[in-house]
Amino acid sequence: MKLKVEERLIIHLDLEKDSYDIVIERGALANAKDYLDLDRKVLVVTDDGVPKEYAETITSQCKEPVPVTIPQGEGSKNFENYKMLLSKMLEASFTRKDCVVAVGGGVIGDLSGFAAACYMRGIDFYNVPTTLLSQVDSSIGGKTAIDLDGVKNIVGAFYQPKKVLIDPDTLNTLDQRQLSAGLAEAVKMSLTSDAELFERIKNSNDLSADLGEIIKGSLLIKKSVVEQDPKEQGLRKILNFGHTIGHGIEAFYDGKYLHGECVAMGMLPMCSEDVRKELQPVLEKYHLPVSCDAGREELLPFILHDKKMNQSTISVIFVPSIGQYEIREITSEELEQYIPQ
Ligand code: GLY
């Protein structure tokens, strides 16, 4: 798929001393050294599901590259890989002046970002997202983490990258399922914050023509939310829309569904009847699942394990009409009523 996007777009994320640019440019991988300081030791982290030429293109521009490839999938976001990345840096005598580059999707960004946040109390981190999900959402905003004992993202840090370099050409090699899973996160942002973006996704007849605007629209929402609430004290919770039930489904099925597919299923119960009627056909149009076999009894223990469960209540996001949201503080008993039987 050849995307139609503007020649180059730079979105500045204003976070005072942690501010950075998100550069979106077709073919940007080949020009990475124009944007990233690679004239030092660079840990280049990727996974075996990412076409290897992407990380090689970055590695070839580094003065002293240390390339690492881990197995694809959420299972890699673990303590062993985190320790392995730290050991690689230590073995190669990385100092505070060196850096980490993540080349891949959300798993690679979260894991490498966390290693960068912790090595010598924090070294420079660059994110080069190559999936739609990471380009519209996870590479921005500084959430880094690993999973522990089956609980997703339970150990991590807010650690902003020094730059995010998005090359939309990398989406040309992404399969339809991954593309749709990424689109689910764009749908998520449109539902809480931008009815026009939702219409664009809903009415698209040619995703390759519209994806550039969809990425841009999603990034502008993410920018605005993260700038107002970088550490998820309030507003940023809206980016977790669909994730409470979604994370439960993801944990219960343990790898059967992609993260974005779980978000798609997790959004539907958190909308008004009218929004659900509009949303379901859009998810189906992009071949996203809208329900799963597991019922309330099976999912609830996995949902309550989610880190957002805060003593007696949990914050969930509800969409009463497209482009609007409510942050609801509910008990676990009330949450049960949202989960389909
Ligand atoms: N992906 C949700 C967030 O960045 O807050």
Side-chain angles (χ1 to χ4, degrees):
M1 176 171 55
K2 283 272 174 266
L3 281 186
K4 299 182 187 105
V5 291
E6 289 171 40
E7 221 22 49
R8 185 174 65 163
L9 174 69
I10 298 182
I11 296 176
H12 183 70
L13 203 73
D14 190 358
L15 293 170
E16 299 173 358
K17 68 175 185 20
D18 292 327
S19 299
Y20 53 96
D21 285 341
I22 305 160
V23 178
I24 306 135
E25 183 183 308
R26 287 192 57 184
L29 276 186
N31 307 321
K33 66 175 181 329
D34 296 345
Y35 300 107
L36 320 178
D37 176 3
L38 303 176
D39 198 19
R40 46 185 165 166
K41 287 181 182 152
V42 187
L43 188 78
V44 181
V45 189
T46 192
D47 73 49
D48 59 13
V50 178
K52 62 180 183 336
E53 55 273 23
Y54 297 165
E56 283 169 2
T57 303
I58 300 291
T59 301
S60 67
Q61 299 171 69
C62 300
K63 185 175 176 200
E64 288 185 68
V66 178
V68 182
T69 304
I70 62 166
Q72 179 180 29
E74 183 71 25
S76 279
K77 238 170 85 177
N78 59 33
F79 206 81
E80 289 69 33
N81 282 329
Y82 161 71
K83 179 181 176 303
M84 182 269 290
L85 296 185
L86 297 175
S87 298
K88 287 267 179 202
M89 290 192 270
L90 191 58
E91 272 163 31
S93 305
F94 271 49
T95 70
R96 275 216 183 92
K97 295 199 167 116
D98 297 316
C99 70
V100 176
V101 181
V103 184
V107 169
I108 291 298
D110 283 8
L111 172 71
S112 332
F114 187 45
C118 297
Y119 187 79
M120 297 188 85
R121 302 195 179 91
I123 63 170
D124 286 356
F125 172 55
Y126 299 121
N127 219 329
V128 183
T130 61
T131 64
L132 182 58
L133 187 139
S134 55
Q135 291 186 358
V136 297
D137 190 8
S138 66
S139 67
I140 318 297
K143 277 191 178 176
T144 73
I146 55 172
D147 306 338
L148 187 67
D149 296 341
V151 185
K152 210 172 144 74
N153 299 332
I154 195 71
V155 179
F158 285 102
Y159 192 67
Q160 300 295 339
K162 282 279 174 242
K163 198 154 288 175
V164 177
L165 188 61
I166 298 179
D167 182 348
D169 279 352
T170 59
L171 301 180
N172 297 334
T173 52
L174 207 60
D175 65 38
Q176 182 57 49
R177 188 176 171 205
Q178 289 279 355
L179 206 59
S180 293
L183 208 53
E185 295 281 10
V187 170
K188 169 197 82 174
M189 286 190 260
S190 72
L191 280 171
T192 57
S193 310
D194 188 346
E196 219 174 281
L197 179 60
F198 181 78
E199 285 300 303
R200 186 184 282 276
I201 298 171
K202 175 176 148 187
N203 297 326
S204 177
N205 294 319
D206 177 1
L207 200 55
S208 64
D210 293 327
L211 211 45
E213 283 302 312
I214 293 171
I215 293 172
K216 181 175 165 185
S218 306
L219 288 173
L220 290 174
I221 295 170
K222 183 105 193 206
K223 165 187 158 70
S224 160
V225 170
V226 171
E227 282 177 348
Q228 292 175 69
D229 179 21
K231 295 217 168 145
E232 201 174 300
Q233 304 296 301
L235 177 69
R236 189 166 175 171
K237 291 179 185 169
I238 69 170
L239 299 175
N240 296 328
F241 170 52
H243 283 58
T244 305
I245 294 176
H247 274 174
I249 297 172
E250 199 172 353
F252 177 81
Y253 282 99
D254 194 19
K256 176 175 175 192
Y257 292 110
L258 298 173
H259 175 69
E261 294 173 335
C262 297
V263 171
M265 290 186 270
M267 287 190 287
L268 284 163
M270 307 312 288
C271 300
S272 66
E273 192 62 43
D274 286 352
V275 173
R276 201 173 305 134
K277 278 196 197 125
E278 285 236 46
L279 173 59
Q280 182 155 333
V282 175
L283 300 177
E284 286 166 346
K285 170 177 174 168
Y286 294 107
H287 314 289
L288 285 159
V290 293
S291 65
C292 61
D293 296 336
R296 191 183 285 175
E297 301 268 291
E298 291 150 298
L299 293 178
L300 198 63
F302 290 86
I303 292 169
L304 296 182
H305 255 113
D306 192 272
K307 69 180 187 306
K308 287 172 229 39
M309 192 69 210
N310 157 23
Q311 304 208 333
S312 55
T313 61
I314 187 170
S315 301
V316 293
I317 309 306
F318 186 83
V319 171
S321 59
I322 292 171
Q324 308 214 327
Y325 62 84
E326 291 166 7
I327 302 181
R328 294 183 176 175
E329 283 297 323
I330 59 171
T331 63
S332 55
E333 288 76 32
E334 286 165 331
L335 176 64
E336 264 187 72
Q337 304 313 311
Y338 288 87
I339 308 167
Q341 292 271 20

